Amino acid sequence: MKRPVVIPAALLFAVVLILAMVDLAPPALDLRPLVAANLASSGVAHPVTAVLLNYRAYDTLLEIGVLLLALVAILAVSESVPTTSSTSATSSDLLLPMLGRIAAPVMVVVAVYLLSAGTSAPGGAFQAGAVLAAAAVLLHLTGLLPGWRQPGVSLRWGLAGGFLLFVGVGAILLLVEGDLLRYPPDHAGVLIFLIESGLTLSLGLILAGLFLFLSHDKGDVG
Amino acid sequence: MTSGLLFACVGALLFVMGVSGVLLIRHLLRRILAFNLMGSGAFLVLVGLAQRHGVADPVPQAMVLTGIVVAVAATALALALVRRLHALTGKLEPPEADDD
Amino acid sequence: MTDPLVWLILLPLTWASLAFPSGPGRGAWLAIAALGVQLMLVLLLVVDVTESGILVRAVGGWGAPLGIDLAADGLSVAMLLLTQVIALPLAIYARSYFSATAPEGKYFWPLCGFLLAGLNGLYLSADLFNLYVTLELVGLAAVGLVAAGGGARQIAAALRYLFAMLLGSGAYLLAVALIYAAYGTVSMKTLAPLITAEAPVVIWLAGGLMLAGLMLKTALFPFHFWLPPAHGGASAPVSALLSALVVKASFYLLLRLWLGPFAGLTAGAGLLGWLPATLGALAILWGSCQAIRAQRIKMLIAYSTVAQLGYLFLIFPLLTGEAALRAGIMQAFAHGLAKAAMFMTAGVLIKATGQDRVDSLAGAAQQLPLTMFAFGLAGVTLTGLPPSAGFLAKWQLIEAAMAQGAWIIAVVVLVGGLLAAGYVFRVLRQGFLLVPATSADTSVFHPLPRTLEWMALLLAAASVLLGLRGVELMELVSLGGAV
């Protein structure tokens, strides 16, 4: 019923948009020289990381908040299961658990590399956290790690810790330097690395949690 | 036409496909996929159009990274809701709208 | 604590993320204490802005366009004030409302904290992309609150709400992409002089996308489809939070863009303002009629929100003068306070009677006189009777409309007031006039904590009494001007 309206309207919009984009003149302002000029005092060598964790670090702070919030919302939605025995997906396959045992430690090493590479090359906390989370998911799928039920105290602190660290550093800088997340150029590199390390752990837990908490809700019947 | 502009045009198409999908598809998993298509379209426009003259710009790239994380969070929440709905009703389609 | 502006964002973020590790159902006292501090901070901010005009803070010390600017002018301070004034009594109410083991209250406090942080962040941000992140923070927190601990009906409502939010912010994000491509910045202050009536076509498209996305998020007719099930289905404190505050955030952003960066486009096209105004008028008529017909009390209040939001959009054709802006802010306050109070009384009535049908309220006035009185006071504001804030808002709106010869808007306002009286009196008639059937098992009232009733009454009384002191509030709006 909605189809005859939506599809022609969408096509018309796409055509107008593409024609308008092709026609667009170069922008009046170019931020690239500004990004490059301040790179030396930003504490990192990679421009994208500089934007993410220094120039627009406030966006990143709120973004981690969104991710933590989504996890809390998922926990609020999921059924409260009494924490009895945690059933692990038992696999009769021998090869799969073995591969999991080999791959997971390697993935941890990769995550540490991505974290440290982030200052000068593509990488950083989010990518490292994603690899950590993938390791956890892999372990779960190979039957080595049970799915998560409602999180205990230490897991909850681990999930929120990275964000709290980020907020804490931001607040201290506000008190000391006078602006939220204003890094002193001499210590910017250290502070950013501190935040990124905390975020890597918490992001790994949060992203793994998005999968492992869900795998316990009796969603699928198959 | 530079490659950046081409990306932006593809992004515009993906965006309208995604929006149409979210509006028209009743199956909830597909609707979540359509939302992700829409988001990817917007990200492609953001990055592609900014480098339509050939030089990469780190600011929109960082914005897209932020946007991707937000989209991941939204997708996870949507999946959790769909699973819960499926657990409660056994269906992957929303119940008929009741206005009272 | 030297800078109230930044702490208004940091503080709720902190208590939200501390409430989560404290455990399910925990964090209420932390939240209430922090909200008390937030209320003091916003009062300090009011003083600061009154004394020195618009305040700007460069996050990271970079400043726009490389960094992100936070800015507080009269309009944003007014919205911040509304948010904190409602949040504190609401938190005290919610602490009594959710029992220790209630599944819907399991993670109420962290979600509520993120929601308030998102709202404060949105009102203070002067950066279009940062605003996108705050929009998502608010939207996802709101969806989580609607869904929390609910049954199939509530989950379905939350899903519908989520997809509406995501469509809205998706459109907004595409618009931000187009603006960045055209001008190379997303700072509102830098953009304002750049966007003129000769702007390229993509900017008109971006404006249209933002207008459509934010109208969807504000549930303006005919985009209101997601609101009644979400607001009517959630638990009472959540409904109050969503109806009183969350829908105002996207309205504020639309107004901010209209008067700020897009002023170059909107000033030239005088007829453009009639689009939201027409939809607003339809929202008033449609929402009120649905509220009059609604069977469940929370659906009645939710449809009333659809109608009351309509008034906010009537101001758009009149924005050439300052009076319309004042009327809009007054209406946001009047509706926010009254609607929070109304959903809070609905929570009391539903808990007390165990049912949520309007018909089941017989005898409520004898059993819960404070609550019915609070509902009546909130109703006075929604109907627009003097001396309430609703009266002041509608008076200002009619005055602004007549000054510009837009008599049709004045007619809509008057008709809307009559219709509002229709649904308010439907509830009051049930509560006050009908004598309960003696020994009928339908009218058993369960005892409840008195805090619930007093908090509802507090907000309802504020919505009426604000009408007496509204001039000071409206003068605040003129401070600093638009960005």
Side-chain angles (χ1 to χ4, degrees), chain B residues 31-51:
Chain B
R31 205 190 272 190
I32 292 174
L33 287 178
F35 153 68
N36 274 280
L37 204 61
M38 177 186 94
S40 307
F43 298 149
L44 267 181
V45 174
L46 185 50
V47 171
L49 203 56
Q51 59 187 58

Side-chain angles (χ1 to χ4, degrees), chain C residues 147-160:
Chain C
R153 190 183 178 133
Q154 221 169 307
I155 300 282
L159 262 172
R160 208 184 326 178

Side-chain angles (χ1 to χ4, degrees), chain C residues 205-291:
Chain C
L205 290 174
L209 281 166
M210 284 181 163
L211 181 63
L214 292 172
M215 287 196 307
L216 175 62
K217 275 178 173 283
T218 319
L220 178 61
F221 182 90
F223 301 120
H224 67 284
F225 59 92
W226 57 266
L227 187 144
H231 288 196
S235 51
V238 174
S239 305
L241 206 53
L242 299 192
S243 249
L245 297 178
V246 173
V247 279
K248 305 291 186 322
S250 39
F251 164 73
Y252 157 85
L253 183 50
L254 187 54
L255 192 60
R256 165 75 64 193
L257 293 169
W258 192 281
L259 296 170
F262 283 99
L265 299 190
T266 51
L271 280 179
L272 203 60
W274 283 98
L275 172 69
T278 309
L279 296 178
L282 292 172
I284 293 172
L285 301 178
W286 173 256
S288 303
C289 291
Q290 290 298 105

Side-chain angles (χ1 to χ4, degrees), chain A residues 59 93 98 114 123 167-168 184 187 197 209:
Chain A
D59 274 347
D93 203 332
M98 200 179 79
L114 279 174
V167 173
H187 304 293
S197 309

